[in-house]
Amino acid sequence: MSSIYSNAHESAKGFAVNAKGVILRQTLLTFIFLSFSWLASADDVVIPLKTMNAMYGGGTFSVPCSGPDMSGTCQIDTGLNVSYFSANAFTVLPASIGKATYTSVTGSVVKCDYAALPSIQLNGAVDLGPLEPVICSAEENKSQTNLLGLDAFAERSFILNAKKYELVLLEKNPVLPNSFEIDNVGHILMKVQSGFKKPLEALAMFDTGAAVSTVDIELVKAQPENFTIVETNAIGTDAHGNPINSYLVIGSVRVGQILIVAEYFIAMDFSPFQKVSGSPIQLILGYNAIDHFEWTINMKDKTWSNSDQ
């Protein structure tokens, strides 16, 4: 189920929010641009991903991860600007370097700690370097899933090939055709078009950590021709395991070169999320919208592309 949560760091590290088809053919011009703008390097690192399926075509991407006095599985979560680890993953807890307060959309608050980790390895081989993640105890946070956020990929470029279930860390930053914004709390925001009958531009967050895509209930009300409500009492959970009342809808969205048709979305009130973000976000592209496609993200230049190849 979809989940959303926010993190306010008391030492000004900002917030972190996790909410938690038919394919449009690429034009020849776009194909030529992408073919010559990036060529694979022998130094690119391919990391196999595991997936776990959920209801409504949802799921997660994960990979074995380890570090000093810790080991476990980490979900790849581009909806977080700061990585999160469960205290249960550590045999010896690292020292706290600062306090973090997590407030969910239901108003639930938990207090956690920041820690400095000298390295995090994926699959026991790929070293992402030092991180300063949030660590929460089981007593504070019901969710004990380890999450690798965007801080793990800062200034890097990567390919998420959801068709092959691979994460590719690129040696060089490619030239990509689309730009993305970064909101006040560090999330990737893409301009998309909601619907295909009467498509309208909307702002969407790219969130591999959301099992099911999410849409603002106000957008659903404003575009009844683009979104169909199929269940009025769907219940999701926030990051602390608390229930969120929501709707289940079917809708369509055009993202870059891809038109995704008749996909499930969880519809809910986005106003708390928009307040934290500082941006009028109306959609969250989760696993069920990201799956089956290839996404290239250049974090340094804030550019992206996608493909059904």
Side-chain angles (χ1 to χ4, degrees), residues 8 21 34 37-38 60 123 134 167 202 222 225-226 257 264 283 297:
L34 293 177
S37 64
W38 173 76
T60 58
N123 274 342
V134 170
L167 177 68
E225 69 278 8
N226 290 332
Q257 301 302 310
Y264 284 112
L283 292 159
I297 307 292

Side-chain angles (χ1 to χ4, degrees), residues 17-217:
V17 176
N18 173 38
K20 23 213 132 347
V22 176
I23 311 304
L24 199 64
R25 293 183 178 179
Q26 299 180 49
T27 64
L28 179 61
L29 180 61
T30 301
F31 177 79
I32 293 174
F33 176 85
L34 293 177
S35 298
F36 285 93
S37 64
W38 173 76
L39 296 175
S41 167
D43 295 323
D44 295 342
V45 179
V46 178
I47 303 171
L49 298 176
K50 298 179 180 180
T51 62
M52 180 177 293
N53 295 328
M55 296 175 64
Y56 312 124
T60 58
F61 301 103
S62 63
V63 61
C65 57
S66 59
D69 300 312
M70 70 83 63
S71 63
T73 298
C74 289
Q75 288 184 13
I76 307 300
D77 191 344
T78 59
L80 281 178
N81 66 329
V82 179
S83 298
Y84 163 87
F85 289 90
S86 164
N88 289 343
F90 294 83
T91 55
V92 178
L93 280 176
S96 173
I97 62 170
K99 297 295 182 180
T101 301
Y102 274 71
T103 304
S104 77
V105 294
T106 63
S108 174
V109 177
V110 298
K111 295 182 179 180
C112 306
D113 292 274
Y114 279 93
L117 303 182
S119 66
I120 289 292
Q121 291 189 334
L122 303 185
N123 274 342
V126 182
D127 194 343
L128 294 180
L131 283 179
E132 293 186 4
V134 170
I135 299 177
C136 295
S137 68
E139 291 77 15
E140 287 288 345
N141 193 6
K142 296 176 185 178
S143 176
Q144 292 297 291
T145 304
N146 302 316
L147 306 172
L148 277 180
L150 291 175
D151 55 329
F153 308 100
E155 298 297 309
R156 306 174 90 150
S157 294
F158 62 89
I159 295 174
L160 176 64
N161 191 327
K163 296 180 69 173
K164 296 182 178 179
Y165 303 116
E166 292 178 343
L167 177 68
V168 183
L169 302 182
L170 303 178
E171 174 67 20
K172 298 179 180 179
N173 291 319
V175 177
L176 302 174
N178 307 305
S179 61
F180 63 80
E181 303 173 21
I182 296 291
D183 67 6
N184 291 344
V185 290
H187 305 121
I188 295 175
L189 306 183
M190 300 173 172
K191 291 182 179 179
V192 303
Q193 288 185 315
S194 63
F196 64 94
K197 295 179 181 179
K198 295 180 180 179
L200 296 175
E201 186 172 283
L203 199 59
M205 186 174 80
F206 183 76
D207 186 1
T208 60
V212 179
S213 299
T214 314
V215 59
D216 186 2
I217 189 62

